[in-house]
Amino acid sequence: MSQPRSVPGAPPAPDAPTLPAHRFYELMRTARLLDDEAVALQRQGVFPAYVSLRGQEAAQVGSAAALDRERDFAFPTYREMAAALTLGVDMVGYMASHRALWHGGTYDPIASRFGSVNAVVGGPVPHAVGWAIGERLRGSGGCALAYFGDGASSEGDVHESMNFAGVFGAPVVFLCQNNQWALSVPLDRQVAGGSVAARAAGYGMPGVRVDGNDVEAVYEATAEALQRARGGGGPSIVEAFTYRAAPHSTSDDTGRYRDPAEERQWRDQDPIDRLGAAMRTAGLADDAFFASVEDRARAEAERIRDAVSAAPEPAPSDMFEHVYREPTEELARQRRAWEQEAL
């Protein structure tokens, strides 16, 4: 198998192999196990809700690994856990958002170059464009990576952001994880023509669809788009065609709208299994490698699980902090009312 350039994601463990394919595999496997733990935490009542990324690990790891962590910035939705892991985000702080300890997570977005968890459909996209324009004005050479799904591609905010970016040449990569289901609405009823990348021509930018279950293909496409943006070539759309192997969220039931045969078909294209098989065929990994990754990944997933479960709840008064730079009289009135009721 081919080897991509470099993978700047989270630093490997001291005893971990450091070839790009090895790092990709370990990040994806860790994300899968942590995702399983998160679903279990929701079933146990620790998390009020959770959105799984199962099946989309390659699209997230490959795209996030292409970023320059000194200059670039990623703007996630509520499903980019594997991207956060790749960028070295404090994963206990990330998972704190799913436990509803603090909106957007308790990690440092500036230090990690990974924006706060954003639950607004299409919400990260205008933020990414605005940041990218600002960085161009500063002359920093930084590029933005905007995550969104095929469902969000129908939002007005996404269209307006792409048009604005195209007109003004913003250094931004629009990364669409087309998992073929906008909650319960299939792709053919959501995206006219079936492709988000095809819309790029209308905004005056290049667009490419790649196999979203091939981590190296996603990495290379994202890296190329970032290089183009950094060189003044403006924005691009990268559509990672993948599949949401899990329900939309832990409150969703795919049995009500999806064909089990379709799910079985995509299980055979699991991105982690595909990468592992390719590594074996190319002689890049053996049983010892996979066993060592499994041990490290499981230990890390369990560490994060235990730490977020034990994290203290914030003070209730925190809901009044950081709302405005200078609190309004209405906010002060609400706080006084809350304090009186809390007595």
Side-chain angles (χ1 to χ4, degrees):
M1 66 189 297
S2 62
Q3 287 295 313
R5 292 183 282 275
S6 63
V7 183
D15 58 343
T18 55
L19 285 176
H22 293 158
R23 292 294 300 131
F24 285 149
Y25 185 86
E26 183 156 345
L27 287 164
M28 290 165 64
R29 186 59 185 154
T30 303
R32 174 68 60 84
L33 292 175
L34 180 55
D35 191 70
D36 290 344
E37 294 288 359
V39 172
L41 287 174
Q42 191 280 326
R43 300 308 189 207
Q44 295 163 13
V46 179
F47 287 0
Y50 179 69
V51 287
S52 173
L53 60 89
R54 190 179 187 90
Q56 297 178 218
E57 293 89 353
Q60 294 187 19
V61 170
S63 57
L67 291 170
D68 181 337
R69 293 177 61 188
E70 298 298 321
R71 295 186 292 178
D72 299 339
F73 208 98
F75 291 81
T77 72
Y78 45 77
R79 203 186 296 274
E80 272 69 59
M81 184 265 281
L85 185 70
T86 301
L87 290 174
V89 173
D90 167 21
M91 295 308 294
V92 176
Y94 176 90
M95 286 296 182
S97 179
H98 291 292
R99 196 182 143 199
L101 294 181
W102 188 264
H103 182 71
T106 59
Y107 58 91
D108 184 344
I110 302 301
S112 61
R113 316 300 292 175
F114 187 83
S116 298
V117 175
N118 194 327
V120 177
V121 177
V125 181
H127 296 173
V129 174
W131 182 91
I133 290 290
E135 288 301 289
R136 192 180 65 185
L137 293 173
R138 288 203 316 137
S140 71
C143 299
L145 180 63
Y147 285 103
F148 63 103
D150 49 295
S153 73
S154 295
E155 292 289 331
D157 282 356
V158 174
H159 290 288
E160 292 162 14
S161 299
M162 288 182 175
N163 186 64
F164 189 95
V167 170
F168 292 99
V172 58
V173 177
F174 298 102
L175 196 290
C176 176
Q177 292 176 83
N178 184 346
N179 64 22
Q180 304 181 58
W181 287 93
L183 212 163
S184 60
V185 180
L187 181 63
D188 60 359
R189 292 177 56 195
Q190 172 65 32
V191 177
S195 172
V196 176
R199 297 175 177 173
Y203 301 116
M205 66 181 76
V208 60
R209 174 186 275 195
V210 297
D211 183 348
N213 284 12
D214 182 338
V215 65
E216 293 184 2
V218 177
Y219 174 85
E220 294 291 349
T222 308
E224 180 179 341
L226 288 167
Q227 183 178 14
R228 182 187 307 113
R230 217 180 302 286
S236 306
I237 297 176
V238 176
E239 179 183 9
F241 193 72
T242 181
Y243 191 74
R244 194 195 75 213
H248 175 76
S249 72
T250 47
S251 61
D252 180 34
D253 177 9
T254 60
R256 299 179 63 183
Y257 59 85
R258 243 172 29 181
D259 184 349
E262 175 185 284
E263 296 181 335
R264 288 193 298 270
Q265 176 186 353
W266 278 93
R267 271 198 296 270
D268 293 338
Q269 301 181 50
D270 184 275
I272 303 175
D273 293 344
R274 280 179 58 180
L275 178 58
M279 291 170 68
R280 285 185 184 275
T281 300
L284 297 177
D286 55 16
D287 289 344
F289 165 78
F290 290 112
S292 65
V293 167
E294 191 71 14
D295 289 343
R296 287 193 300 272
R298 191 168 298 281
E300 179 65 0
E302 292 176 355
R303 179 193 69 80
I304 296 165
R305 174 202 66 195
D306 294 344
V308 72
S309 298
E313 295 187 0
S317 60
D318 281 358
M319 66 178 144
F320 299 103
E321 303 294 338
H322 315 299
V323 179
Y324 299 105
R325 177 178 294 181
E326 297 178 3
T328 64
E329 178 54 37
E330 174 59 21
L331 186 65
R333 185 196 66 77
Q334 293 176 17
R335 181 165 191 158
R336 289 193 299 270
W338 172 80
E339 289 173 342
Q340 291 173 0
E341 292 177 2
L343 293 177

